[in-house]
């Protein structure tokens, strides 16, 4: 580190702060940001990212600059309809003014906590979550990202049961930290990190008896199982919806075998699939539930877990075994920014907005409208759009090949519609818009999709 580099860093920081704080940009400033952004990603972020990005847009020059409602805009004001939703972040829309008002008020008061005094918003949020989640879920632990929440769930399951093994599913996605990725059911994410957490057995998703057999076999040879971890709908795997009764059967198996049942509701929770939590569809309460993405309100990241009382009582977290105070009440973890006041204010305001406006109901109604439109397009272009499915505003389209799926997403992008599903496989493409997306916007999306499907059908002679 040289004095010259420090001076250059200061000059660059001052330049960027000035750009952020400006109400409007000149044309020269816009060109500079575009050039800088491409160079910075190639030289200081990830040299491969823009090449991947081009696979959707064919042009790395779109630089995201502002958002509102169900759209986002680039530096030049080009507007895109958001059907990606940040993979579930923007349930309440982009820059929701009601949530932003709450966050601004908290920011003007204080943003982060001292780590020592009692911060009231964390307690209020935990109480509201206990009221707004299934069954007797009661104790919350807050962190920052989805993978971190999964790590906390895995740790609590071990503490609560004394077990060491986990049962996960083929196709599962639970994050990319070492514990979370160990639960993952895709080789593409796991292969480069093996060995990882070794005591994980993956079984067929949607097959409750496979879970029962795996646990029974492990217990028969003297192994103790800590938990079953499952997404109520597999999102990253391609919106895979299990048969009705699957979640209820998992609950019965967990009770029979003394294993902790973990539902990963990071993507499916908070109204995304047409109910507040996806497990509400079967009226099932897990022992531990993770949440993230939509809990941010689209403004401040926050994630966490909420657990039933028995998991805390048996684990020794808080009261300790047999009522004795545990030597380390933070044994699960102590993330510096977990449950900070700014993030808690965003989540509390998000819950208020969701409940006040019944976003789960809106999600179901809008999702049904989307699915009706997809059915018509499936009938019209069966050789291109070979299948579709979804629940609420978590939907997907299937295509004959990965290449055709890529072409459809690029054709949609050219029509200023952003969709998801290009990281590992575009044969299945997700539609995951803000839950508040207007019906007239949905009509525009379906029209753009109609044109895109026609274009791809002609190009591939399908």
């Amino acid at each position: 580190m040289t004095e010259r580099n420090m001076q250059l860093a200061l000059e660059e920081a001052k330049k960027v702060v000035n750009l952020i704080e400006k109400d409007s940009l000149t044309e020269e400033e816009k060109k500079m940001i575009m050039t800088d952004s491409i160079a910075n990603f190639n030289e200081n972020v990830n040299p491969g990212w823009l090449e991947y990005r081009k696979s959707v847009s064919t042009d790395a020059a779109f630089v995201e600059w502002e958002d509102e409602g169900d759209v986002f805009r680039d530096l030049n004001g080009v507007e895109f309809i958001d059907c990606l939703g940040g993979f579930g972040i923007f349930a309440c829309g982009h820059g929701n003014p009601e949530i932003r008002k709450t966050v601004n008020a908290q920011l003007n008061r204080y943003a982060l906590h001292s780590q020592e005094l009692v911060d009231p918003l964390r307690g209020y949020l935990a109480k509201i979550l206990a009221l707004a989640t299934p069954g007797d879920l009661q104790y919350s632990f807050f962190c920052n990202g989805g993978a971190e929440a999964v790590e906390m769930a895995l740790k609590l399951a071990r503490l609560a049961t004394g077990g060491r093994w986990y049962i996960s599913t083929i196709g599962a996605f639970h994050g990319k930290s070492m514990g979370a990725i160990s639960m993952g059911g895709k080789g593409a994410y796991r292969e480069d990190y093996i060995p990882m957490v070794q005591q994980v057995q993956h079984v067929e998703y949607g097959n409750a008896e496979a879970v029962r057999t795996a646990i029974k076999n492990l217990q028969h040879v003297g192994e103790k199982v800590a938990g079953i971890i499952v997404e109520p709908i597999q999102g990253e795997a391609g919106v895979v919806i299990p048969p009705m009764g699957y979640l209820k059967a998992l609950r019965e198996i967990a009770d029979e075998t003394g294993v902790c049942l973990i539902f990963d509701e990071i993507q499916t929770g908070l109204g995304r699939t047409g109910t507040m939590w996806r497990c509400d569809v079967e009226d099932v309460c897990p022992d531990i539930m993770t949440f993230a993405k939509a809990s941010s309100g689209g403004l401040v990241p926050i994630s966490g877990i909420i657990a039933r009382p028995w998991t805390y009582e048996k684990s020794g977290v808080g009261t300790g075994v047999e009522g004795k105070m545990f030597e380390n009440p933070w044994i699960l973890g102590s993330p510096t920014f977990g449950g900070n006041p700014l993030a808690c204010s965003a989540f509390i305001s998000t819950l208020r907005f969701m409940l006040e406006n019944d976003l789960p109901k809106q999600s179901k109604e809008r999702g049904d409208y989307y699915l009706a439109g997809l059915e018509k397009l499936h009938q019209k272009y069966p050789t291109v759009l070979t299948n579709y499915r979804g629940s609420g505003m978590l939907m997907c389209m299937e295509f004959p090949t990965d290449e055709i799926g890529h072409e459809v997403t690029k054709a949609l992008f050219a029509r200023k519609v952003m969709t998801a599903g290009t990281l590992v496989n575009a044969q299945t493409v997700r539609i995951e818009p803000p839950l508040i997306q207007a019906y007239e916007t949905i009509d525009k999306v379906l029209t753009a999709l109609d044109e895109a499907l026609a274009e791809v059908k002609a190009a591939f002679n399908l």
Side-chain angles (χ1 to χ4, degrees):
M1 189 186 309
T2 66
E3 186 175 337
R4 179 178 179 275
N5 280 350
M6 294 294 281
Q7 184 59 38
L8 289 173
L10 174 59
E11 290 171 7
E12 189 73 3
K14 288 168 71 175
K15 178 185 85 173
V16 178
V17 167
N18 178 58
L19 292 170
I20 293 169
E21 294 180 350
K22 291 191 75 168
D23 292 330
S24 61
L25 300 172
T26 66
E27 290 304 312
E28 285 302 311
E29 287 170 332
K30 291 176 184 177
K31 290 177 183 177
M32 178 187 66
I33 292 171
M34 191 175 296
T35 302
D36 286 351
S37 296
I38 294 170
N40 291 339
F41 266 82
N42 283 331
E43 296 170 16
N44 299 107
V45 179
N46 183 333
W49 191 86
L50 291 180
E51 288 303 312
Y52 152 66
R53 182 70 174 77
K54 286 181 181 179
S55 71
V56 184
S57 68
T58 71
D59 186 349
F62 287 105
V63 176
E64 190 170 342
W65 195 246
E66 59 186 28
D67 64 357
E68 177 186 13
D70 54 12
V71 302
F72 57 89
R73 303 182 187 93
D74 82 341
L75 272 171
N76 297 305
V78 177
E79 191 167 275
F80 294 83
I81 296 172
D82 183 14
C83 285
L84 169 62
F87 301 109
I89 295 170
F90 297 106
C92 298
H94 290 261
N96 184 295
E98 295 182 40
I99 301 172
R100 189 188 293 274
K101 179 182 177 183
T102 307
V103 170
N104 282 337
Q106 183 59 38
L107 178 62
N108 289 333
R109 182 169 293 110
Y110 72 110
L112 301 177
H113 50 291
S114 69
Q115 311 291 335
E116 181 61 27
L117 298 180
V118 175
D119 49 299
L121 296 190
R122 192 188 312 189
Y124 280 127
L125 174 56
K127 178 180 180 179
I128 295 166
L129 275 173
L131 294 169
T133 49
D136 61 344
L137 290 169
Q138 181 175 346
Y139 294 112
S140 289
F141 184 96
F142 301 112
C143 31
N144 306 283
E148 191 180 2
V150 170
E151 298 287 346
M152 297 306 109
L154 299 176
K155 290 168 74 176
L156 181 57
R158 281 194 171 189
L159 290 171
T161 64
R164 289 295 177 264
W165 280 82
Y166 300 97
I167 309 300
S168 188
T169 57
I170 302 298
F173 182 79
H174 297 290
K176 295 176 184 172
S177 56
M178 286 299 281
I181 205 169
S182 301
M183 305 299 132
K186 279 189 176 181
Y189 291 135
R190 293 168 46 89
E191 288 164 352
D192 292 332
Y193 301 104
I194 293 171
M196 48 185 77
V197 176
Q198 294 293 288
Q199 293 161 302
V200 185
Q201 191 165 136
H202 293 82
V203 301
E204 180 186 16
Y205 183 71
N207 184 346
E209 284 308 306
V211 174
R212 189 192 306 274
T213 299
I215 295 173
K216 292 286 189 183
N217 288 345
L218 286 167
Q219 291 179 336
H220 186 76
V221 297
E223 300 287 359
K224 194 163 185 182
V225 180
I228 305 162
I229 183 167
V230 68
E231 300 159 90
I233 292 177
Q234 287 189 334
E236 178 71 14
V239 191
V240 181
I241 304 173
M244 281 296 289
Y246 176 61
L247 303 182
K248 191 161 285 189
L250 293 181
R251 176 71 274 168
E252 292 170 0
I253 292 165
D255 290 339
E256 289 170 13
T257 57
V259 169
C260 202
L261 180 60
I262 304 167
F263 284 164
D264 183 344
E265 291 258 17
I266 285 169
Q267 188 163 184
T268 57
L270 293 166
R272 172 57 56 184
T273 65
T275 50
M276 191 63 175
W277 307 96
R278 177 62 187 179
C279 60
D280 290 336
V281 168
E282 294 192 32
D283 193 23
V284 175
C285 177
D287 298 303
I288 306 171
M289 187 167 73
T290 65
F291 49 82
K293 295 192 184 293
S295 52
S296 66
L299 293 172
V300 187
I302 183 171
S303 67
I305 62 172
I306 185 166
R308 297 175 68 194
W310 78 264
T311 63
Y312 271 61
E313 291 161 6
K314 289 195 173 183
S315 68
V317 177
T319 58
V321 178
E322 296 179 352
K324 296 176 183 177
M325 179 58 70
F326 203 85
E327 291 182 3
N328 180 7
W330 297 109
I331 191 169
L332 275 182
S334 53
T336 301
F337 300 111
N340 68 74
L342 201 63
C344 286
S345 73
F347 197 178
I348 291 168
S349 193
T350 296
L351 288 164
R352 181 202 58 79
F353 182 84
M354 283 188 167
L355 295 170
E356 197 167 60
N357 294 281
D358 200 352
L359 251 59
K361 180 183 178 183
Q362 289 196 46
S363 175
K364 184 181 186 310
E365 292 171 349
R366 284 163 166 76
D368 288 346
Y369 189 84
Y370 254 116
L371 291 172
L374 290 173
E375 170 61 20
K376 292 177 183 176
L377 294 175
H378 172 57
Q379 294 295 329
K380 189 174 180 180
Y381 304 103
T383 58
V384 189
L385 180 57
T386 56
N387 199 4
Y388 68 93
R389 59 185 167 272
S391 180
M393 292 287 262
L394 178 60
M395 298 156 283
C396 76
M397 305 177 287
E398 282 192 4
F399 304 100
T401 66
D402 179 78
E403 183 183 10
I404 290 169
H406 272 297
E407 290 302 315
V408 173
T409 58
K410 286 194 286 186
L412 283 169
F413 192 89
R415 290 165 175 80
K416 305 300 180 287
V417 176
M418 171 61 84
T419 51
T422 59
L423 183 56
V424 174
N425 181 10
Q427 187 170 356
T428 302
V429 173
R430 273 175 288 178
I431 300 175
E432 199 168 351
L435 307 185
I436 50 84
Q437 191 172 67
Y439 283 99
E440 51 266 40
T441 305
I442 298 174
D443 287 337
K444 290 178 183 178
V445 172
L446 293 170
T447 297
L449 180 58
D450 192 341
E451 294 171 0
L453 293 170
E455 181 180 303
V456 173
K457 179 181 178 182
F460 283 81
N461 194 29
L462 294 171

